Amino acid sequence: MGKLIEVKNLKKWFWAGSAFGGRKQAVRAVDDVSFSIARREILGLVGESGCGKTTCGKVILRIHEPTSGKIFYDSEDITHIKRKDLIRLKEKMMIIYQDPFGSLDPRMTIGRAIAEPMEVHKTLAKGERRQKVMDLMEKVGLSSDQINRYPHEFSGGQRQRIGIARALATDPEFVVADESVSALDVSIQAQIINLLKDLQEEFGLTMLFIAHDLSVIKHVCDRVAVMYLGKIVETAPKKVLFSDPKHPYTEALLSAIPIPDPKKRKRGQILMGDVPSPINPPPGCRFHTRCPHVMSICKEAEPDMIGLNDSRQVACYLYDK
Ligand code: SF4
């Protein structure tokens, strides 16, 4: 299947000011990242908090301007498209946030909140919007009788359903789900994951599913990209990555998933310490300060992404022949 999304050497640096008027410093949130997502594919983007995955999703959606690199949508270079073309494009690309309550106006009924993207993008005549909102509410497991209620009248899981209905209002092709289930109880998480999977199939969506937890990724994604401190360090089909992780960071993330039977525990180390600052990332391999296999070369030069076969890549000197 053809690529819907492709990013090449994408960078997003923010500039942090100094409290004492000194030189501004670059926060390298996304630092030379390349990957693609095929049509109807769900790519999981996983890594610890602060690794740049949310920024990466927002740059692809052009919520943030990229610092450098290229973004392609259906082979069209959208990196610097004009504002009017960007509005047309945003109708096809939507985001589901982690905190739907924060993204919903408390004074707006949920009917209006779900209809808002249709108003902005003028995708439906005014008279048709209400029916579409009611249909979407039923699709995401809400009752259309609740159309005139306000966000505070709903539970966390229901509010996430509202966020999903709102994201689908303009019939998008591409959706970024940004930690969409992270704030929910485990039982509600499962319901929302199943809903997202069902909707992805029904609407033929292409998705970037961002999460810090590999156990969530396992239930949703076709392929996984592992991100560490602004870099992609491994990509592989989900089954391959879970059964045979290559990068020591992927191994560590996997070993952090709780497994009831100790005999089935994955190999790998528990992650020690925090992610270093993206203002001053370690030289060489950025994971070297936490890696149990670190070698002298790892501290000197950054490892390239190497293709181990057609479907998996890893950036680590352990695999560099
Ligand atoms: Fe560890 Fe070196 Fe591989 Fe980085 S390149 S993950 S430090 S072994």
Side-chain angles (χ1 to χ4, degrees):
M1 217 170 292
K3 295 169 189 170
L4 183 67
I5 299 290
E6 185 169 21
V7 298
K8 289 184 180 170
N9 306 109
L10 191 66
K11 289 187 183 179
K12 178 61 190 176
W13 293 8
F14 296 99
W15 296 94
S18 157
F20 304 104
R23 217 158 46 90
K24 289 195 170 179
Q25 291 180 300
V27 180
R28 302 173 188 201
V30 177
D31 204 12
D32 201 354
V33 157
S34 301
F35 62 86
S36 61
I37 314 176
R39 275 189 183 275
R40 294 173 174 255
E41 183 181 44
I42 308 182
L43 177 71
L45 186 58
V46 68
E48 290 160 284
S49 295
C51 71
K53 52 196 189 306
T54 292
T55 304
C56 188
K58 288 185 172 176
V59 174
I60 294 171
L61 294 177
R62 296 289 315 275
I63 295 170
H64 294 319
E65 282 295 304
T67 302
S68 64
K70 295 273 185 202
I71 309 164
F72 296 89
Y73 185 91
D74 202 11
S75 304
E76 179 189 353
D77 185 347
I78 63 162
T79 320
H80 301 294
I81 60 168
K82 295 195 181 95
R83 196 179 139 70
K84 84 171 168 25
D85 294 327
L86 186 60
I87 292 169
R88 164 188 57 83
L89 188 74
K90 286 201 169 185
E91 180 187 317
K92 298 186 198 169
M93 307 201 297
M94 286 286 160
I95 185 164
I96 304 167
Y97 289 100
Q98 174 177 4
D99 173 17
F101 198 55
S103 60
L104 293 171
D105 183 339
R107 295 158 304 174
M108 202 185 262
T109 64
I110 63 153
R112 277 195 60 206
I114 296 170
E116 195 176 44
M118 294 184 238
E119 287 168 26
V120 171
H121 294 285
K122 299 184 176 53
T123 50
L124 269 187
K126 202 172 175 186
E128 294 170 287
R129 285 179 204 148
R130 188 175 172 85
Q131 187 56 51
K132 170 101 178 184
V133 169
M134 289 167 68
D135 291 347
L136 280 169
M137 288 179 68
E138 297 288 342
K139 279 247 181 292
V140 300
L142 296 165
S143 166
S144 53
D145 296 343
Q146 299 168 311
I147 192 165
N148 292 323
R149 295 208 181 159
Y150 289 88
H152 72 269
E153 297 178 69
F154 293 87
S155 67
Q158 285 175 319
R159 287 201 287 258
Q160 195 51 284
R161 290 173 193 270
I162 297 166
I164 293 169
R166 192 176 143 93
L168 296 178
T170 56
D171 297 323
E173 293 179 315
F174 175 58
V175 171
V176 173
D178 182 16
E179 299 276 12
S180 307
V181 297
S182 305
L184 304 173
D185 291 345
V186 174
S187 60
I188 310 291
Q189 268 190 3
Q191 292 172 17
I192 299 294
I193 284 171
N194 289 337
L195 173 66
L196 282 172
K197 281 174 69 177
D198 291 347
L199 294 171
Q200 186 263 339
E201 271 188 32
E202 184 175 341
F203 291 90
L205 297 171
T206 303
M207 287 179 75
L208 180 65
F209 190 92
I210 295 170
H212 64 272
D213 182 352
L214 264 174
S215 60
V216 171
I217 293 276
K218 189 174 188 177
H219 296 292
V220 185
C221 303
D222 303 308
R223 208 157 50 86
V224 184
V226 181
M227 196 164 180
Y228 185 77
L229 207 53
K231 299 267 183 194
I232 303 275
V233 297
E234 181 165 10
T235 60
K238 178 183 70 179
K239 279 190 184 154
V240 175
L241 187 111
F242 276 81
S243 62
D244 184 23
K246 294 294 186 199
H247 198 281
Y249 181 57
T250 313
E251 285 190 346
L253 287 180
L254 274 170
S255 65
I257 298 177
I259 294 174
D261 183 352
K263 287 185 204 139
K264 292 185 180 168
R265 210 170 286 283
K266 302 269 181 203
R267 65 199 166 97
Q269 302 281 324
I270 298 297
L271 269 176
M272 304 296 279
D274 295 324
V275 184
S277 166
I279 291 181
N280 191 13
C285 171
R286 293 187 179 184
F287 189 57
H288 85 247
T289 55
R290 303 167 85 192
C291 180
H293 307 290
V294 61
M295 302 170 276
S296 55
I297 189 169
C298 306
K299 300 175 187 174
E300 290 158 15
E302 208 170 278
D304 290 328
M305 195 64 131
I306 306 160
L308 299 183
N309 57 41
D310 286 350
S311 64
R312 77 177 312 180
Q313 297 179 305
V314 64
C316 173
Y317 285 118
L318 294 173
Y319 305 95
D320 189 352
K321 304 233 162 47

